[in-house]
């Protein structure tokens, strides 16, 4: 009786529990499926991200095999007649360019060490493939390159150089009319007026002119001893002189042991006791410092427009055997017009007006950065190079000598002197500091029993002023 009456109620509760369990299982199953799907999708994104990062890193990873393949591809293009250059025969036919090693790849830029006819050189290209450069459009509308006269080539090359360096045609008009020195410069580099150019020559020239560093070095190498020399080219690759770069970890920045050995060899022609063979480490440092001063003065005054160096660090400079300082990486070097365009940005504070080592001030009323650079090349060199060089810690017991103390004070004043001058070319307090540094360093050399001649040029030695009237 009673038990029979309990069965329906108990069955109901059991059925309800089963239903709840079933619903809970369905809910867990849906959540589990969602969680599984999210985990799978997250894992897919993570793995694909790893593959993408790996490919991007490995694609720009510097290897000898890849560098040799790049040069082999260049030689195939030379054999097909697509590219040419004064280095192509030696590289691809005569075997006079010996591959040594890959130096670095960075953002597509390829830098390779080689030996050309027994001398070390550096091969460079902004992009890996020749086809990555924009072609010269005029060739697409003409049956043959012979339709272009040499003056046409000069005209197009000049326009491309102006565009690459950020120089307007108005600058040329201000400096003396239509016959610009830039056009004359390129005219001298090109063939005589009675000869024409092949499509390969024009295409190769055009690929080179699209590389800012090549254009910069090619234009200035005949006007300044402080830029690396371009020695030749093949297609989109060009060769520059091999120079050992500076290093931040070296207290003297440059390897002065190597410089001393090279100097001794250079002085051998004058006898075993040549003047260079007797240079001490400090004398070499002082000579290199004088060459830095010469470079700064040269870049500030020798061209129509002031040249700004916005990435000043030891790795971007080298020295020749005569201790002349050479700018070897000029990707961040800009003439005044382009510098003004770069600095002309919106801002809310002075910090927004910093472009690497070049900076200006923020006009808080206009919320706009000043187009005039606040600091100078000399100020940054004093801060990043001279101050570590001539610090009391490095000088040791000599730090208390009167001339050394005067030099340290001049360097400190240099780091604190902004380029806020009326004419924008460093003529003012910055120029006074430059002369003071020049005087102290020259006296230090003379005090050490060394002549001030021979260790790089400086202002007192004079310059050949060839203005670039763009």
């Amino acid at each position: 009786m009673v038990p029979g009456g309990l069965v329906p109620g108990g069955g109901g509760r059991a059925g309800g529990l089963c239903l709840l369990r079933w619903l809970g299982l369905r809910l867990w199953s849906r959540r589990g499926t969602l969680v599984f799907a999210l985990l799978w999708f997250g894992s897919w994104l993570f793995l694909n991200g790893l593959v993408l990062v790996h490919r991007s890193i490995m694609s720009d990873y510097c290897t000898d095999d890849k560098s040799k393949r790049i040069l082999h591809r260049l030689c195939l293009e030379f054999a097909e007649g697509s590219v040419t250059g004064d280095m192509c025969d030696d590289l691809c036919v005569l075997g006079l360019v010996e591959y040594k090693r890959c130096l670095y790849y960075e953002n597509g830029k390829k830098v390779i060490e080689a030996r050309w006819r027994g001398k070390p050189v550096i091969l460079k290209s902004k992009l890996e493939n020749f086809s990555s450069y924009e072609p010269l459009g005029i060739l697409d509308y003409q049956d043959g390159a012979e339709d272009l006269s040499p003056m046409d080539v000069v005209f197009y090359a000049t326009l491309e150089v102006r565009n690459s360096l950020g120089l307007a045609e108005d600058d040329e008009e201000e400096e003396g009319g239509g016959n610009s020195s830039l056009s004359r410069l390129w005219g001298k580099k090109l063939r005589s007026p009675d000869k024409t150019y092949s499509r390969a020559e024009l295409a190769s020239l055009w690929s080179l002119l699209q590389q800012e560093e090549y254009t910069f070095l090619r234009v200035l190498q005949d006007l300044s001893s402080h830029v690396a020399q371009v020695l030749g080219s093949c297609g989109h690759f060009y060769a520059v002189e091999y120079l050992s770069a500076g290093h931040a970890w070296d207290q003297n920045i440059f390897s002065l042991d190597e410089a001393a050995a090279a100097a001794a060899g250079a002085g051998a022609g004058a006898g075993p006791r040549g003047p260079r063979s007797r240079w001490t480490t400090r004398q070499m440092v002082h000579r290199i410092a004088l060459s830095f001063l010469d470079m700064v003065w040269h870049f500030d005054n020798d061209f129509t427009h002031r040249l700004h160096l916005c990435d000043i660090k030891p790795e971007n400079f080298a020295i020749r055997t005569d201790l002349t300082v050479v700018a070897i990486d000029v990707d961040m070097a800009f003439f005044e017009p382009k510098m003004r365009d770069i600095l002309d940005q919106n801002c809310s504070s002075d910090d927004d007006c910093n472009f690497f080592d070049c900076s200006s001030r923020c006009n808080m009323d206009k919320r706009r950065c000043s187009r005039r650079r606040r600091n100078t090349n000399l100020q940054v060199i004093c801060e990043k190079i001279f101050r570590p060089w001539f610090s009391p810690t490095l000088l040791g017991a000599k730090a208390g000598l009167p001339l050394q103390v005067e030099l340290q004070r001049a360097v400190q004043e240099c780091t604190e002197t902004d380029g806020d001058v009326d004419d924008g070319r460093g003529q003012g307090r910055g120029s006074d500091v430059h002369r003071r540094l020049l005087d102290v360093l020259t006296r230090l050399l003379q005090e050490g029993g060394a002549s001030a001649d021979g260790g790089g040029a400086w202002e007192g030695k004079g310059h050949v002023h060839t203005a670039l009237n763009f």
Side-chain angles (χ1 to χ4, degrees):
M1 54 184 182
V2 175
L6 293 175
V7 172
R13 286 194 295 271
L17 290 173
C18 290
L19 178 61
L20 289 175
R21 290 193 186 100
W22 180 79
L23 289 174
L25 181 62
R26 290 292 300 271
L27 290 173
W28 180 89
S29 178
R30 290 180 180 176
R31 289 176 181 172
T33 302
L34 180 61
V35 170
F36 175 77
L38 290 175
L39 288 174
W40 180 86
F41 183 68
S43 300
W44 180 83
L45 285 177
F46 178 73
L47 291 175
N48 276 273
L50 284 179
V51 171
L52 180 62
V53 170
H54 179 267
R55 285 180 177 175
S56 63
I57 292 176
M58 294 305 294
S59 65
D60 222 25
Y61 185 69
C62 187
T63 65
D64 289 334
D65 288 340
K66 183 171 182 179
S67 298
K68 291 178 180 178
R69 288 198 301 270
I70 292 172
L71 295 180
H72 177 68
R73 189 184 310 126
L74 177 64
C75 286
L76 290 178
E77 291 169 332
F78 172 65
E80 295 169 354
S82 302
V83 303
T84 189
D86 54 1
M87 191 176 64
C88 287
D89 278 327
D90 286 354
L91 173 67
C92 304
V93 180
L94 302 177
L96 296 177
V97 179
E98 178 188 0
Y99 175 88
K100 298 299 292 184
R101 63 190 175 112
C102 175
L103 292 180
Y104 67 89
Y105 297 165
E106 183 178 354
N107 298 325
K109 184 178 182 179
K110 304 295 182 281
V111 182
I112 300 168
E113 181 183 344
R115 293 187 71 85
W116 186 11
R117 294 181 178 267
K119 294 183 178 181
V121 297
I122 303 296
L123 304 179
K124 290 186 173 184
S125 178
K126 183 179 179 179
L127 301 174
E128 177 178 328
N129 299 314
F130 179 74
S131 59
S132 299
Y133 292 93
E134 290 291 331
L136 180 57
I138 193 68
L139 296 179
D140 296 334
Y141 300 99
Q142 296 185 349
D143 296 332
E146 61 274 4
D147 295 330
L148 282 178
S149 70
M151 289 312 299
D152 289 332
V153 177
V154 171
F155 173 76
Y156 289 115
T158 301
L159 289 180
E160 186 65 19
V161 170
R162 282 203 194 100
N163 179 66
S164 178
L165 299 181
L167 297 165
E169 191 171 356
D170 294 340
D171 302 318
E172 174 185 337
E173 295 173 356
E174 292 175 2
E175 295 291 337
N179 295 324
S180 71
S181 62
L182 183 59
S183 298
R184 292 196 300 272
L185 176 66
W186 277 103
K188 293 177 181 178
K189 303 298 179 189
L190 301 176
R191 290 181 180 176
S192 57
D194 58 337
K195 294 187 178 181
T196 57
Y197 296 85
S198 67
R199 296 182 71 91
E201 286 176 317
L202 292 174
S204 298
L205 172 63
W206 206 246
S207 69
L208 292 170
L209 292 180
Q210 293 176 57
Q211 304 180 57
E212 292 84 356
E213 183 176 79
Y214 170 85
T215 303
F216 182 92
L217 296 177
R218 198 70 184 87
V219 168
L220 293 189
Q221 71 173 26
D222 294 330
L223 307 173
S224 174
S225 62
H226 294 290
V227 297
Q229 295 287 303
V230 178
L231 304 176
S233 65
C234 180
H236 57 303
F237 271 87
Y238 59 98
V240 298
E241 61 178 321
Y242 177 87
L243 296 168
S244 181
H247 299 286
W249 47 261
D250 191 326
Q251 66 177 11
N252 292 316
I253 295 182
F254 304 105
S255 178
L256 297 184
D257 291 336
E258 294 180 9
R273 294 181 180 272
R276 294 187 184 183
S277 64
R278 298 195 300 270
W279 287 349
T280 65
T281 298
R282 292 315 305 174
Q283 286 172 343
M284 286 192 286
V285 168
H286 294 152
R287 290 177 179 274
I288 295 170
L290 282 169
S291 188
F292 266 114
L293 290 180
D294 176 68
M295 180 187 69
V296 168
W297 187 90
H298 189 66
F299 288 172
D300 282 353
N301 296 278
D302 266 13
F303 313 129
T304 301
H305 297 291
R306 186 178 182 184
L307 180 62
H308 298 272
L309 304 177
C310 293
D311 190 12
I312 293 177
K313 57 186 178 183
E315 294 82 357
N316 289 347
F317 299 97
I319 53 174
R320 295 195 178 99
T321 57
D322 65 351
L323 303 185
T324 297
V325 173
V326 180
I328 58 175
D329 192 334
V330 292
D331 286 336
M332 299 292 289
F334 309 101
F335 284 106
E336 183 74 25
K338 195 166 186 176
M339 185 79 263
R340 288 175 176 264
D341 289 340
I342 291 172
L343 293 175
D344 188 15
Q345 302 291 332
N346 294 325
C347 63
S348 57
S349 68
D350 286 346
D351 292 338
D352 297 330
C353 301
N354 295 332
F355 181 77
F356 296 88
D357 288 327
C358 297
S359 63
S360 68
R361 289 187 174 88
C362 180
N363 185 322
M364 298 304 297
D365 295 331
K366 298 180 180 179
R367 297 285 179 173
R368 197 76 175 172
C369 295
S370 170
R371 300 179 75 236
R372 173 177 290 181
R373 183 182 174 186
R374 176 177 64 181
N375 60 355
T376 64
N377 293 334
L378 179 60
Q379 182 182 7
V380 181
I381 286 174
C382 283
E383 180 180 352
K384 290 193 170 184
I385 295 177
F386 285 1
R387 188 154 61 180
W389 257 355
F390 305 123
S391 66
T393 303
L394 186 59
L395 290 172
K398 295 183 178 181
L401 297 177
L403 277 179
Q404 295 292 353
V405 172
E406 187 176 350
L407 177 60
Q408 293 166 37
R409 290 174 178 171
V411 170
Q412 183 61 33
E413 182 182 351
C414 176
T415 62
E416 298 171 354
T417 302
D418 282 349
D420 50 352
V421 291
D422 294 335
D423 61 2
R425 296 183 65 89
Q427 306 298 319
R429 191 180 174 200
S431 183
D432 293 339
V433 172
H434 185 281
R435 283 192 292 268
R436 184 179 171 190
L437 287 168
L438 178 67
D439 175 65
V440 176
L441 287 167
T442 302
R443 282 190 286 153
L444 279 168
L445 276 178
Q446 293 171 346
E447 187 181 72
S451 170
D453 295 329
W458 54 87
E459 180 179 357
K461 190 174 179 180
H463 291 276
V464 177
H465 295 271
T466 307
L468 295 182
N469 301 319
F470 299 120

